[in-house]
Amino acid sequence: MVYEHSDATAETAPLALKILVAGGFGVGKTTMVGAVSEIKPLRTEELLSEAGQSVDDTEGVDHKVTTTVAMDFGRITIRSGLSLYLFGTPGQDRFWFLWDELSQGALGAVVLADTRRLEDCFPAVDYFEHRHIPFVVAVNCFTGSRNYDARDVSRALDLDGGTPVVLCDARDRASGKEVLIRLVEYAGRVHTARLLDSVG
């Protein structure tokens, strides 16, 4: 028996995209992945130890007692047929060797930022800029932090023109989902432009 190929089937084939959630130590990466994930998120958190006190900068996040040592993983369906697989990166310098592996095949990244410690997200911004991975900066609006608008943050980080900066609450599912939608739209435009350039 011969089965004919159906265009309708091709049009409804599910699409899964890989997204990284990166940023400095204690900025809310694990919180965001957990808040938006429709499955129980995978977490690789361990208690902070005395051995790490000399290398982990906990200034401004004194309440933090655990840290991600490999990655966080979650999944969210944006719309029918489109799912995002979320990989939260570890924040400390000593775990950055994992970033190259995690970034393989990623459509783009969310760089979470805390305006109280904005310099902590510079390494993530540099990482994605140098590897030409599209990213958005999502400012996690912590209680008690000074409010800055997106243009101020963009100037402070010296971002390339067009790189989106959005304000969010990493604890809120709807807010996190809006960040992810913004990233998918932006990354789609970037990849389309690159494709057109390569054939032009």
Side-chain angles (χ1 to χ4, degrees), residues 81-159:
L82 175 59
S83 297
L84 304 182
Y85 290 160
L86 309 175
F87 292 80
T89 65
Q92 300 101 307
D93 298 4
R94 68 181 189 272
F95 296 124
W96 280 355
F97 67 92
L98 294 167
W99 284 40
D100 287 339
E101 193 68 33
L102 289 174
S103 65
Q104 290 294 319
L107 174 77
V110 173
V111 176
L112 273 175
D114 178 354
T115 57
R116 300 169 302 178
R117 298 177 293 121
L118 197 58
E119 66 281 0
D120 289 359
C121 72
F122 274 109
V125 168
D126 289 343
Y127 182 90
F128 297 121
E129 282 184 345
H130 285 109
R131 286 159 182 79
H132 307 289
I133 297 174
F135 67 95
V136 301
V137 173
V139 179
N140 192 7
C141 299
F142 286 89
T143 303
S145 63
R146 182 176 168 189
N147 292 327
Y148 294 90
D149 66 29
R151 287 171 298 181
D152 291 335
V153 173
S154 182
R155 282 194 297 269
L157 294 175
D158 193 27
L159 297 176

